[in-house]
Amino acid sequence: MSEPLLAQERRLVTEVPGPKSAELARRRRAVVAAGVGSVLPVYAERAGGGVVVDVDGNSFIDFGSGIAVTNVGNSAEPVVRNVREQVGAFTHTCFMVTPYEGYVAVCEELAALVPGGHEKRSALFNSGAEAVENAVKIARAATGRNAVVAFDHAYHGRTNLTMAMTAKSAPYKQGFGPFAGEVYRAPLSYPYREPVEISGKEAAERAISLIESQVGAGNVACVVIEPIQGEGGFIEPAPGFLPRLAEWCQESGAVFVADEIQTGFCRTGDWFASEHEGIVPDLVTTAKGIAGGLPLAAVTGRAELMDAVHAGGLGGTYGGNPVACAAALGAIELMRSERLAERARGIGEAMSAALREIQRAHPVVGDIRGRGAMIAVELVKPGGKVPDAEAAKRIAADCHREGLLVLTAGTYGNVLRFLPPLVMPDHLLREGLDLLAGAFEKL
Ligand code: PMP
């Protein structure tokens, strides 16, 4: 039994935020910790397809997908159907106490979908950060080594180890140290900001040279990288960078971990962004898009690495919760039946074309990048490459006032990123891009 589809329209019936949202904000201030922020303080009541509807009846075009989560849309029919069925059967037994089929079925899907024809195993968790933590545990147990290599502009989460792996200080790390040890940072390939043009392979050699000299190849348990960096500003490394890093890991006995938490599940036009250059990571971390909005995460990888961990070494009370697994099976079914990877490519073409138009008229747009339905613009002071975070903030605020939900990102806070649900209807995508163009006009 599916919910009737929400009207797929932008609709503003009050100021933004409206009175009911303002009242909820007042209640929130009294009881919710100030450290938890919100991009757009309108309180959601319904969401589906390409819109989020707030408690005042305003309907926003969604270019955020709850930060790359609702790839299949909110309350997608197969997700709702599976969740309803599961929630009525049982909500939790704990897989570590009495297991159930849904967990196994999700791991079967992951084994089939994650790149590589090798034998794979998965372990399920609750959040992206938890998956990254566990990937590091697995790599350390399998290699008997300690060092973790992460990259400039990386984002891997907010737990202690993943904060150490995350590059940006404010707001993610500021005041929260000391951080986990044995985490080393290597330079990325960031084509737009290289001081001189440098190929992907050369950028990889630059990183490798630093790893070899400052960490020591024989000490590296794992190299962890987002194939396209998410929070860092949708930075797509130059072609050849990722393949060379993966090759170096193989030569050096280090585990190559692709953090596909933001890029995974059809977002970039493939099931996983690693596929674009034919990379076969040793381990892949996933979360976000995997379960249509329910909390689920996974580490998937080579059987011999995954099985190197002793029984009882991995897990958690809720990891692979049955309701979240049911949701994931519904979401994956929909990604397959609706060919959402292909749809992401179409969205990417439409977005890139519109953004190129905007760039022609507005030199504040320094760079357009990303892949599939994961596209961003980096804003700079015209005439150079000095980051313009203020412009990004103003454009986002204007979009929000007009009923378009957009997110910012980037080490310098000067990136606008667009992550529409992959089921967004064309007319809303076009309207959203027109609103964006309007916001640049007003800037
Ligand atoms: N890795 C990447 C690449 C991410 O984008 C995120 C979330 N933005 C995380 C890890 C952390 O995931 P979570 O917020 O679910 O812990």
Side-chain angles (χ1 to χ4, degrees):
M1 201 175 48
S2 64
E3 296 292 328
L5 192 63
L6 278 182
Q8 294 296 296
E9 62 178 12
R10 178 177 68 108
R11 187 178 64 238
L12 293 176
V13 294
T14 69
E15 61 192 337
V16 175
K20 288 184 180 163
S21 280
E23 170 57 15
L24 282 164
R26 194 189 59 76
R27 281 171 56 193
R28 169 189 177 147
R29 273 194 295 279
V31 289
V32 178
V36 184
S38 295
V39 170
L40 172 56
V42 300
Y43 285 71
E45 189 168 85
R46 296 285 303 273
V51 297
V52 175
V53 179
D54 76 9
V55 287
D56 290 291
N58 299 304
S59 177
F60 294 82
I61 301 176
D62 182 11
F63 273 16
S65 298
I67 320 188
V69 170
T70 51
N71 295 3
V72 296
N74 258 288
S75 306
E77 196 279 327
V79 172
V80 173
R81 178 199 67 209
N82 282 9
V83 164
R84 283 210 167 115
E85 206 171 295
Q86 181 59 49
V87 90
F90 63 96
T91 47
H92 174 84
T93 60
C94 186
F95 193 75
M96 301 183 305
V97 179
T98 51
Y100 38 86
E101 182 181 355
Y103 191 117
V104 178
V106 169
C107 296
E108 285 169 347
E109 289 287 18
L110 287 165
L113 294 170
V114 163
H118 52 278
E119 207 174 314
K120 294 171 208 135
R121 305 276 187 270
S122 292
L124 304 184
F125 304 98
N126 303 295
S127 70
E130 209 189 338
V132 174
E133 291 252 357
N134 278 279
V136 171
K137 281 168 63 173
I138 293 160
R140 283 175 170 164
T143 59
R145 303 170 175 186
N146 289 330
V148 175
V149 175
F151 286 81
D152 287 335
H153 310 287
Y155 183 90
H156 297 292
R158 294 174 182 268
T159 57
N160 187 260
L161 174 59
T162 58
M163 270 194 297
M165 296 167 68
T166 291
K168 189 174 174 175
S169 177
Y172 306 128
K173 305 167 75 165
Q174 190 62 45
F176 299 143
F179 303 110
E182 286 303 313
V183 175
Y184 300 88
R185 194 163 310 287
L188 187 72
S189 161
Y190 188 165
Y192 179 63
R193 291 203 173 273
E194 296 291 355
V196 291
E197 204 172 307
I198 158 173
S199 73
K201 188 157 185 306
E202 286 165 334
E205 295 302 341
R206 177 177 64 187
I208 289 164
S209 151
L210 186 141
I211 296 166
E212 288 182 340
S213 62
Q214 298 187 16
V215 189
N219 299 320
V220 178
C222 56
V223 170
V224 185
I225 189 160
E226 302 155 78
I228 299 175
Q229 287 190 324
E231 305 304 310
F234 291 10
I235 305 167
E236 192 180 7
F241 182 75
L242 295 171
R244 176 61 192 128
L245 278 183
E247 182 186 63
W248 180 85
C249 285
Q250 198 172 24
E251 293 162 6
S252 315
V255 176
F256 183 79
V257 184
D259 180 346
E260 294 249 19
I261 287 164
Q262 191 152 162
T263 50
F265 291 99
C266 302
R267 176 54 58 186
T268 65
D270 290 298
W271 278 92
F272 296 97
S274 298
E275 290 167 51
H276 188 69
E277 287 191 85
I279 291 155
V280 178
D282 298 312
L283 299 179
V284 174
T285 55
T286 52
K288 289 191 186 282
I290 189 174
L294 273 83
L296 187 70
V299 182
T300 301
R302 296 186 186 281
E304 64 275 19
L305 297 176
M306 297 294 296
D307 286 343
V309 179
H310 51 275
L314 303 176
T317 304
Y318 293 117
N321 168 270
V323 182
C325 287
L329 295 171
I332 291 167
E333 174 192 321
L334 193 141
M335 288 179 221
R336 224 183 244 123
S337 66
E338 298 296 314
R339 300 165 163 279
L340 290 189
E342 232 171 272
R343 174 73 188 139
R345 275 177 249 153
I347 291 174
E349 280 159 27
M351 287 201 294
S352 302
L355 291 168
R356 279 194 297 272
E357 280 287 312
I358 293 174
Q359 186 180 36
R360 271 194 282 277
H362 303 283
V364 67
V365 178
D367 195 23
I368 303 168
R369 57 179 181 245
R371 212 155 64 221
M374 182 172 182
I375 303 284
V377 292
E378 177 161 357
L379 304 187
V380 293
K381 310 262 192 217
K385 291 189 178 179
V386 176
D388 194 345
E390 190 51 37
K393 211 184 292 169
R394 281 169 54 195
I395 299 269
D398 186 73
C399 289
H400 296 164
R401 268 193 306 275
E402 296 293 332
L404 173 67
L405 212 173
V406 297
L407 306 175
T408 57
T411 297
Y412 317 109
N414 64 329
V415 174
L416 288 165
R417 59 171 157 168
F418 312 114
L419 293 159
L422 307 181
V423 295
M424 169 158 297
D426 286 333
H427 75 274
L428 281 186
L429 183 65
R430 268 198 313 274
E431 190 179 351
L433 291 167
D434 287 345
L435 288 168
L436 190 63
F440 274 94
E441 285 298 329
K442 281 183 251 171
L443 183 67

